[in-house]
Amino acid sequence: MPTPRRSGRVIVYTGDGKGKTTAALGLALRAVGRGMRVAVLQFIKSPERTYGEQLALRRLGVEVRQLGAGFTWTKTPEVHREALRRAWAVTNEYVHSSRYDVIVLDELNNALAIDRFPISDILSVNDVLELIRTRPPALHLVITGRAAHPELMAAADITTEMKLVKHDYEQGTTAMKGIEF
């Protein structure tokens, strides 16, 4: 009997609720537990700051790359545009390298939704759809972030939409040190 062909999945975590990155990283942990090679490419987070999940994943052998210029938007638009340009080039290199079984494109949806400055000359939904189409057949590609485009959700094998029902942050409670929300 022939061995079944491995088929990668495209998974999109989106919505207005918390937990999209956490869900993707949980999937990454399960993959590592099964001996899969995992990389996490973070589109918005800046290498100027270290986050707890990055440290934990790196201890488990997961490659984590922070490719953005940060959430603050205090830098010039050109700094963010250049970070996005680099992030997209790195993404293409990783996806087509055949070094990974799972790649998490963390906050890619957020990057696609930037409206503070033009980005369509750097990255568009069609670029992401082309990446999905041309990825190696066994590669699992996980895309996170708010407001996923309907075309990306349609292209995904699995889409999970997060909805915030209740969160103490809305009542004025700030995040605890070491536990970012």
Side-chain angles (χ1 to χ4, degrees):
M1 176 181 281
T3 305
R5 182 173 162 257
R6 281 186 52 210
S7 177
R9 298 285 182 263
V10 176
I11 301 168
V12 174
Y13 292 106
T14 191
D16 291 328
K18 304 283 184 185
K20 293 171 288 297
T21 295
T22 301
L25 299 182
L27 185 145
L29 289 175
R30 287 190 298 276
V32 167
R34 294 291 184 191
M36 298 175 90
R37 301 162 299 164
V38 178
V40 177
L41 306 178
Q42 297 184 307
F43 272 75
I44 302 293
K45 290 181 179 167
S46 167
E48 296 170 1
R49 182 173 174 198
T50 302
Y51 295 84
E53 71 267 12
Q54 296 156 345
L55 296 173
L57 289 168
R58 286 178 181 145
R59 287 180 184 150
L60 295 171
V62 174
E63 187 170 351
V64 180
R65 299 268 314 261
Q66 296 162 270
L67 302 168
F71 284 104
T72 62
W73 306 112
T74 57
K75 299 177 176 85
T76 66
E78 197 47 49
V79 168
H80 291 286
R81 283 175 48 81
E82 184 54 36
L84 184 57
R85 191 176 287 112
R86 267 191 324 271
W88 189 240
V90 167
T91 297
N92 277 279
E93 176 207 328
Y94 273 61
V95 165
H96 296 292
S97 73
S98 299
R99 292 189 320 251
Y100 302 97
D101 302 301
V102 178
I103 297 177
V104 177
L105 303 178
D106 188 32
E107 295 165 351
L108 174 59
N109 292 332
N110 298 38
L112 286 169
I114 293 171
D115 60 2
R116 291 173 174 83
F117 44 85
I119 64 159
S120 61
D121 59 320
I122 300 170
L123 179 63
S124 71
V125 173
N126 287 334
D127 295 325
V128 178
L129 291 171
E130 180 66 11
L131 182 76
I132 290 169
R133 189 184 69 70
T134 62
R135 78 187 195 286
L139 177 65
H140 299 284
L141 201 54
V142 183
I143 300 170
T144 74
R146 297 178 182 274
H149 285 264
E151 298 93 337
L152 290 181
M153 290 193 288
D157 297 296
I158 302 169
T159 300
T160 300
E161 190 163 356
M162 310 280 182
K163 177 181 174 188
L164 182 63
V165 175
K166 180 180 179 182
H167 197 287
D168 62 352
Y169 178 79
E170 294 174 338
Q171 298 165 12
T173 304
T174 58
M176 298 168 56
K177 185 172 177 59
I179 304 176
E180 296 93 6
F181 290 102

